[in-house]
Amino acid sequence: MQIYNMKRETQWIWFVLVLLFITHTISALDKPVAREMINNKPEFSGFISIDCGSEIDYLDSESGMWYESDNGYVERGSNHMVSWNVDLNFRYFGKQLNTLRCFPEGERNCYSLKPKEEQTKNSSKYLIRALFSYGNYDGINQAPCFDLYIGVNLAHKVNLSGYENGYWNAEIIHTAPSASTQTIDVCLVRSGPTIPCIASLELRPLNTSIYQTPPTDPQQLLILQLRIDVGTPPLPPPYDSDSFFRYKDDVYDRTWRHNLDGMKDWYSLDMKSVNFDNGSSDYKLPSQVLRTAVQTRNVSKPLQFDFDNVFFEPLDKPFEYFIYFHFAEIEQLPRGQKRVIDITLEFEPILSHPLVLEYLKPVTVSPQKTTRGFVSFNITATSESDAPPILNAFEIYKLITQLDSPTHTADVGAIVDIKSTYQISRLNWQGDPCVPKQYAWEGLICSFSATIPRITSLNLSSSKLMGQINMSFSHLTELEFLDLSLNELEGPLSEFLAELPNLKLLNVTGNKLSGKVPKALKEKADLQLSVDDNPDLCMDSCNKKNFVTPLVASLSALIVILFIALGFWIIKRRQKVMLSDSKKGESLTSKYRAFSYSEILNITENLKTVIGEGGFGKVYFGILQDNTQVAVKLLSSSSAQGYKEFRSEAQLLMIVHHRNLVSLIGYCDEGENKALIYEYMANGSLHQHLSVNNPNFLKWNERLIIAVDAARGLDYLHNGCKPPLIHRDLKPSNILLDQNMHSKIADFGLCRAFRSDTDSHISTLPAGTLGYVDPEFQRTGNSNKKSDIYSFGIILFELITGQHALSRTPEKNVHILEWVIPMVETGDVHNIVDPRLKEEFNINSAWKAVEIALSCISPATAERPDISQILAELKECLSLDIVQRHVKRTKTIFEFTSLRIDSEISPSAR
Ligand SMILES: *[C@@H]1O[C@H](CO)[C@@H](O)[C@H](O)[C@H]1NC(C)=O
Ligand SMILES: *[C@@H]1O[C@H](CO)[C@@H](O)[C@H](O)[C@H]1NC(C)=O
Ligand SMILES: *[C@@H]1O[C@H](CO)[C@@H](O)[C@H](O)[C@H]1NC(C)=O
Ligand SMILES: *[C@@H]1O[C@H](CO)[C@@H](O)[C@H](O)[C@H]1NC(C)=O
Ligand SMILES: *[C@@H]1O[C@H](CO)[C@@H](O)[C@H](O)[C@H]1NC(C)=O
Ligand SMILES: *[C@@H]1O[C@H](CO)[C@@H](O)[C@H](O)[C@H]1NC(C)=O
């Protein structure tokens, strides 16, 4: 008997252990390993980066940061993607801008950001950045207007009209009150008929020693109006809107806009050799920002800045602002000489002593002023100065003080506990419970008589509350009215409610409470107590009950419940995983439009214009009803091989989406008639542009931009997709150009997923196109990322030389490498570069391009670089070219007209 029991017991123990193990493994699988790796890097400590509307967490290759989906941060809203025909082609933030979360429900919707514990202890100052895009996601072409609140205070009135094809961003420095709840609510509040949407939200902890504001007020907001890296030229169009530094250059991830326009009697200094380390000042300005500056040509001339349009919102009354001037001496002045500067702001001197700049010692000066919207300042050199005045960078922030105080932290803590204990899901139970008054949580009444609002009444009547009366109610210490009537509360009527000093009414009518009403409650002065309709609750004497039976019963019930709950939990988790998968599938197919074959004939005017020919059929030009131009790829009925490619292409395009990959609009699947409908690429393929017959040959920088774009697309396939995708048929006819000459990769018919770098894909099918196929792949049949790199190298050589990969002579085909390599060996880059360019290119840039191309075609596949590295190098190539052209420009155009830096160029791009 005993042995048998033992066995039973051990079986149970094993069962529990196995269950525990399973649940543990399931939850471990949930945690993305990469995210841990990235977020544990010390430099990211405390960063929160959220891509609103994204279904997945991912590593953003441009910033090197881990962006999270917003699922855990916000309770409501729906996810959207910006329209296909809006191209948010930005170097930074492009990926985040493409997905949105919008809030059709409720007046106020809040993200709650919880900074890490150790951060909140040491620092209560944060940089919060919110990005907003619209991109006609709903197809009605009406940009939204709404309010942005940080905590309980209005920070911005957001108006996205004028930003339909770009984005608008807000950067706010928030100083949390020291005893605050350590949750920062960022709320979108409706201010009109349109639906608020947000694209991304970021939080960066700052050292409290910087961006100091008056200490009198515990709660303040600094709203960024302008932050300029003076002296760094903006990139030329179309990259001008990408022209800024952020992380990793800036450890706090501030965005520093470049600016040089509007110089008068000034010139810019760029001391490339100078390096500032992060410790050189508390503000930790990036070296790239500090090492550039403007300075006047004459010691006696001031640097004069006037702005009459710095502030975003209409100015109905004067307000305070802070301006932060950042100086650093970057020139090594001759011995004994010094640079001494003075500053006047609004025509008043602001320094008690002139500032003597020391070599490589950054200094920040931060006066506070009142304005009606106009900001003007002069930097002058004093009479002792041997060098003219300089300025390296500056920032202007609007200061908002005398803010509304949030609700008392104890009350917030208690009500949040109550909300989660009873899983109360009311539409407006988000953000601060009492403030602003018009958005106070439904069922609450607050008192605003003291500086800190308190909850005085809580009505949870008929709210489906289950379980016992929670301790948290007793933490609402100012509570006067508590209505818990008509719920399913069980257990005793707790004595702790009697400790609420001001409680005047307690209504628990219509619950399942049991036991005796505590004496303390019955005798509490001024308390009106309603306890009707609780069958097991007794006012005075209750029947004595056997205590043992309930105890045993409840213990065994507890065990049973535990197991059931565990089982349910596991099942639910599985369901959740499955659900989210099927949800994704749904949204994918529904996102793409299904066309009937007659529609296809209609939009292509009966297959009138052929614009290309792919592996499995012809490509036709078409126009949709809304005038969107499209390319229609029709599967020819004879092609069996084609059908496989066609299907693989359709499947892939439903998964991958990137601005440098040609995107799918819809499909047709009607028996024999199968078609894919793509965005139309107005400028055809790179192949057409490289043709010697093309009179409008590409300029050098256009070629580099095309290469950079294509590299980005390939980088996404190789490094942004899991598992990585190999294109296997990269060639200039698969690189298409849009109306702005941005390139996108097309033709994913041969694309294959593969598991890892070592485990390559072995294919029996021929893949690729003669001239572009990696010889290593031809030999072994192994294709991997490095085979794409080879093809990319050939394309680079074509871009450099303007020649096709194979040039046909009457006798035979000559491969580009056969004649390029010998020329490279003689070191004569001028003969390699397309002769049509004449000398219109930067020689260093050309050399670098040749070097990159050479590395790509290395016979030793292991030596071929990863596409991410190629991308970085190509960008450098582009910047070499830009710098060169910029120098030329500033040499010829010294005199700029008047200074015009307005809010247009910063901090919101376009
Ligand atoms: C916060 O301060 C404590 C000491 O007060 C220190 O031990 C800890 O390292 C600090 N944390 C951070 C992130 O700076
Ligand atoms: C938003 O801006 C547009 C253009 O600047 C203006 O016409 C419109 O009235 C603004 N909307 C609101 C609600 O302020
Ligand atoms: C913040 O700045 C102060 C003053 O420079 C410095 O002592 C402190 O270490 C800094 N704290 C952090 C967390 O970087
Ligand atoms: C600098 O300006 C002063 C006064 O305008 C003028 O007298 C002087 O010649 C200028 N010096 C140079 C080097 O241009
Ligand atoms: C509480 O709310 C219910 C309806 O939700 C209402 O009938 C009741 O009067 C309210 N109680 C108090 C004390 O205001
Ligand atoms: C208590 O709640 C019940 C049900 O909502 C209501 O009928 C009753 O009037 C309330 N009692 C008091 C004193 O407010």
Side-chain angles (χ1 to χ4, degrees):
M1 191 62 185
Q2 237 179 354
I3 290 169
Y4 174 75
N5 264 346
M6 282 282 285
K7 256 190 163 166
R8 279 284 286 258
E9 264 172 43
T10 45
Q11 274 175 357
W12 272 107
I13 288 166
W14 272 109
F15 181 49
V16 172
L17 283 177
V18 168
L19 269 181
L20 281 175
F21 175 72
I22 291 170
T23 50
H24 183 80
T25 351
I26 291 172
S27 61
L29 283 174
D30 273 356
K31 262 182 225 153
V33 178
R35 169 198 182 153
E36 297 300 310
M37 269 163 52
I38 288 156
N39 284 357
N40 284 344
K41 285 187 181 171
E43 64 265 34
F44 282 120
S45 104
F47 278 27
I48 297 178
S49 312
I50 303 170
D51 183 351
C52 307
S54 171
E55 300 272 353
I56 51 162
D57 300 352
Y58 60 86
L59 177 65
D60 180 49
S61 52
E62 294 291 355
S63 59
M65 272 187 244
W66 189 263
Y67 276 84
E68 296 173 77
S69 146
D70 56 358
N71 285 329
Y73 292 97
V74 67
E75 291 175 16
R76 289 167 199 272
S78 50
N79 291 352
H80 297 275
M81 283 191 87
V82 301
S83 157
W84 289 108
N85 37 29
V86 175
D87 187 14
L88 299 180
N89 193 7
F90 301 105
R91 169 162 152 243
Y92 287 130
F93 303 125
K95 205 161 178 171
Q96 289 85 53
L97 295 170
N98 278 302
T99 58
L100 307 176
R101 186 180 284 259
C102 302
F103 301 96
E105 270 188 317
E107 289 284 296
R108 172 173 72 162
N109 280 279
C110 300
Y111 280 81
S112 27
L113 307 179
K114 292 191 184 60
K116 277 197 196 153
E117 190 92 16
E118 74 257 28
Q119 286 294 341
T120 55
K121 257 187 234 145
N122 300 17
S123 147
S124 48
K125 192 169 277 192
Y126 303 94
L127 177 71
I128 297 167
R129 176 164 48 230
L131 260 65
F132 303 97
S133 58
Y134 167 60
N136 198 19
Y137 76 91
D138 53 1
I140 59 174
N141 257 322
Q142 190 187 10
C145 299
F146 51 90
D147 293 341
L148 174 69
Y149 277 71
I150 303 295
V152 300
N153 292 288
L154 176 65
H156 270 296
K157 289 196 148 314
V158 180
N159 181 352
L160 292 187
S161 85
Y163 298 94
E164 284 85 355
N165 296 315
Y167 66 95
W168 191 86
N169 74 349
E171 275 189 38
I172 294 146
I173 294 176
H174 169 67
T175 309
S178 49
S180 83
T181 34
Q182 309 305 4
T183 299
I184 300 170
D185 292 318
V186 177
C187 305
L188 274 63
V189 176
R190 278 182 104 120
S191 64
T194 49
I195 295 171
C197 293
I198 182 167
S200 86
L201 184 59
E202 298 166 321
L203 176 110
R204 316 286 182 231
L206 298 175
N207 190 325
T208 38
S209 66
I210 59 174
Y211 299 106
Q212 293 271 7
T213 45
T216 47
D217 208 335
Q219 249 215 106
Q220 299 170 342
L221 293 178
L222 284 174
I223 317 276
L224 181 68
Q225 310 293 324
L226 201 56
R227 186 190 289 127
I228 298 288
D229 166 18
V230 183
T232 300
L235 297 172
Y239 284 86
D240 48 354
S241 55
D242 290 354
S243 251
F244 57 87
F245 294 123
R246 63 173 289 199
Y247 188 83
K248 300 178 175 164
D249 295 318
D250 190 320
V251 291
Y252 290 130
D253 196 18
R254 291 162 289 198
T255 49
W256 293 92
R257 301 276 159 186
H258 304 173
N259 181 272
L260 190 76
D261 283 350
M263 288 203 291
K264 186 172 64 176
D265 301 331
W266 308 347
Y267 60 102
S268 70
L269 292 171
D270 183 357
M271 297 300 180
K272 290 210 164 49
S273 57
V274 165
N275 225 325
F276 289 86
D277 74 41
N278 271 327
S280 52
S281 114
D282 288 351
Y283 281 85
K284 300 191 176 175
L285 260 57
S287 200
Q288 288 85 332
V289 170
L290 284 175
R291 68 164 208 231
T292 60
V294 289
Q295 102 176 344
T296 54
R297 295 183 182 283
N298 189 326
V299 183
S300 62
K301 281 263 163 62
L303 282 167
Q304 192 175 342
F305 291 79
D306 295 300
F307 306 96
D308 47 14
N309 190 17
V310 180
F311 298 94
F312 293 127
E313 274 111 37
L315 307 156
D316 33 16
K317 53 178 197 277
F319 57 84
E320 305 279 297
Y321 70 95
F322 264 87
I323 179 162
Y324 295 83
F325 297 106
H326 303 287
F327 300 101
E329 181 58 80
I330 49 179
E331 273 189 312
Q332 234 165 345
L333 300 177
R335 262 186 101 82
Q337 293 201 0
K338 56 188 193 259
R339 196 189 305 263
V340 189
I341 57 174
D342 209 342
I343 308 170
T344 58
L345 180 59
E346 314 296 339
F347 315 108
E348 284 171 30
I350 54 162
L351 296 174
S352 50
H353 311 287
L355 195 59
V356 182
L357 296 182
E358 286 176 65
Y359 189 57
L360 301 189
K361 290 247 171 69
V363 183
T364 297
V365 179
S366 57
Q368 180 188 359
K369 271 277 177 189
T370 307
T371 183
R372 286 187 164 273
F374 183 78
V375 176
S376 145
F377 58 87
N378 280 359
I379 319 276
T380 52
T382 64
S383 54
E384 309 101 88
S385 183
D386 302 296
I390 62 168
L391 179 62
N392 307 60
F394 69 94
E395 298 168 77
I396 300 178
Y397 293 86
K398 183 169 158 182
L399 173 68
I400 304 190
T401 54
Q402 298 180 330
L403 300 176
D404 289 334
S405 166
T407 308
H408 195 279
T409 41
D411 285 0
V412 175
I415 195 79
V416 166
D417 271 353
I418 291 167
K419 178 184 169 188
S420 73
T421 305
Y422 298 107
Q423 302 190 352
I424 298 168
S425 119
R426 290 193 180 171
L427 190 55
N428 84 340
W429 278 40
Q430 297 185 51
D432 190 274
C434 300
V435 197
K437 279 182 200 167
Q438 66 269 36
Y439 307 120
W441 292 8
E442 183 199 335
L444 291 190
I445 297 176
C446 305
S447 139
F448 297 92
S449 55
T451 41
I452 297 177
R454 302 297 306 253
I455 297 173
T456 55
S457 165
L458 174 56
N459 182 354
L460 287 171
S461 177
S462 309
S463 300
K464 303 198 174 78
L465 308 188
M466 281 155 68
Q468 300 217 359
I469 296 178
N470 193 279
M471 221 18 212
S472 303
F473 287 107
S474 67
H475 300 151
L476 294 167
T477 50
E478 293 290 309
L479 208 58
E480 295 171 17
F481 300 94
L482 179 57
D483 189 345
L484 300 173
S485 63
L486 308 181
N487 285 299
E488 291 172 36
L489 294 168
E490 298 165 341
L493 178 57
S494 314
E495 187 155 7
F496 53 68
L497 292 175
E499 287 161 24
L500 290 170
N502 304 319
L503 195 64
K504 295 194 173 63
L505 183 137
L506 174 60
N507 193 344
V508 292
T509 304
N511 280 286
K512 296 173 184 163
L513 297 173
S514 53
K516 238 172 107 173
V517 176
K519 204 166 159 215
L521 274 175
K522 278 191 292 189
E523 289 172 2
K524 191 171 164 65
D526 297 332
L527 177 65
Q528 187 182 355
L529 188 61
S530 305
V531 296
D532 299 341
D533 291 336
N534 284 283
D536 297 331
L537 194 67
C538 42
M539 226 23 191
D540 300 312
S541 60
C542 297
N543 295 335
K544 283 242 158 70
K545 282 190 179 163
N546 183 342
F547 273 96
V548 181
T549 329
L551 186 70
V552 171
S554 61
L555 262 183
S556 45
L558 187 71
I559 290 170
V560 170
I561 286 169
L562 267 179
F563 275 104
I564 292 175
L566 210 62
F568 263 114
W569 188 67
I570 292 167
I571 290 166
K572 255 180 111 170
R573 273 201 103 92
R574 292 217 177 116
Q575 276 175 344
K576 216 162 132 191
V577 170
M578 271 153 41
L579 242 167
S580 67
D581 281 346
S582 67
K583 240 169 55 192
K584 260 174 216 160
E586 243 173 59
S587 69
L588 276 171
T589 39
S590 60
K591 207 163 64 198
Y592 299 95
R593 217 184 117 192
F595 288 80
S596 67
Y597 189 60
S598 60
E599 272 180 296
I600 297 282
L601 292 177
N602 205 344
I603 62 180
T604 59
E605 289 188 65
N606 293 319
L607 312 177
K608 190 168 142 206
T609 319
V610 178
I611 51 174
E613 186 141 13
F616 46 72
K618 292 199 165 107
V619 186
Y620 301 89
F621 177 72
I623 300 180
L624 299 185
Q625 262 172 359
D626 64 356
N627 284 332
T628 313
Q629 300 182 323
V630 293
V632 178
K633 205 180 225 182
L634 203 62
L635 174 68
S636 68
S637 48
S638 58
S639 168
Q641 159 74 27
Y643 179 66
K644 258 191 194 160
E645 286 178 19
F646 181 86
R647 221 183 41 191
S648 116
E649 174 151 0
Q651 280 165 351
L652 263 177
L653 282 172
M654 298 211 170
I655 305 165
V656 300
H657 174 64
H658 185 267
R659 63 175 191 263
N660 297 113
L661 303 180
V662 170
S663 50
L664 191 66
I665 292 175
Y667 58 90
C668 167
D669 190 0
E670 227 181 61
E672 291 278 275
N673 299 311
K674 297 188 193 306
L676 293 176
I677 295 100
Y678 301 87
E679 60 176 322
Y680 175 65
M681 301 291 286
N683 273 314
S685 74
L686 178 59
H687 184 82
Q688 290 158 358
H689 280 271
L690 286 174
S691 160
V692 281
N693 305 324
N694 178 11
N696 303 322
F697 59 88
L698 295 164
K699 294 198 200 65
W700 180 246
N701 75 311
E702 287 176 327
R703 297 177 196 223
L704 291 178
I705 290 172
I706 288 169
V708 166
D709 282 335
R712 274 198 195 125
L714 193 59
D715 183 36
Y716 176 74
L717 291 176
H718 283 188
N719 302 322
C721 295
K722 271 187 197 133
L725 296 169
I726 354 171
H727 188 283
R728 309 209 310 162
D729 196 15
L730 272 183
K731 54 185 173 183
S733 53
N734 284 341
I735 293 178
L736 305 184
L737 303 168
D738 69 9
Q739 71 274 24
N740 302 321
M741 297 301 281
H742 277 293
S743 69
K744 304 192 182 201
I745 297 177
D747 222 339
F748 296 88
L750 294 173
C751 211
R752 288 285 189 315
F754 80 132
R755 296 285 142 199
S756 75
D757 280 309
T758 47
D759 173 19
S760 57
H761 182 87
I762 301 193
S763 163
T764 49
L765 290 175
T769 304
L770 205 60
Y772 302 92
V773 184
D774 176 12
E776 179 67 16
F777 165 61
Q778 271 178 325
R779 207 167 52 75
T780 61
N782 280 1
S783 70
N784 56 30
K785 289 182 185 178
K786 297 297 167 80
S787 349
D788 277 352
I789 300 293
Y790 178 89
S791 312
F792 192 83
I794 300 293
I795 296 170
L796 276 182
F797 272 125
E798 287 185 78
L799 279 166
I800 296 165
T801 61
Q803 302 286 318
H804 288 309
L806 293 175
S807 32
R808 294 208 174 83
T809 63
E811 303 85 56
K812 62 171 191 142
N813 286 337
V814 181
H815 192 258
I816 192 165
L817 296 182
E818 286 177 54
W819 61 270
V820 163
I821 300 290
M823 277 189 181
V824 174
E825 278 162 3
T826 65
D828 188 0
V829 80
H830 280 240
N831 278 335
I832 299 173
V833 177
D834 190 343
R836 290 176 292 181
L837 288 171
K838 310 230 163 58
E839 295 297 304
E840 289 292 306
F841 61 90
N842 173 293
I843 186 80
N844 294 329
S845 173
W847 254 125
K848 191 158 179 71
V850 169
E851 277 167 18
I852 300 169
L854 277 177
S855 68
C856 294
I857 54 128
S858 168
T861 51
E863 281 170 20
R864 296 178 196 159
D866 187 78
I867 189 67
S868 57
Q869 194 185 336
I870 295 170
L871 175 59
E873 305 232 341
L874 282 171
K875 283 183 189 165
E876 225 169 276
C877 233
L878 186 60
S879 68
L880 281 174
D881 186 55
I882 288 165
V883 168
Q884 157 94 16
R885 284 187 299 127
H886 181 75
V887 168
K888 271 191 191 155
R889 204 174 68 185
T890 44
K891 263 190 206 147
T892 49
I893 315 168
F894 276 146
E895 299 293 314
F896 289 81
T897 46
S898 70
L899 178 72
R900 254 190 60 251
I901 307 177
D902 52 36
S903 56
E904 299 268 293
I905 45 158
S906 144
S908 43
R910 280 201 233 167

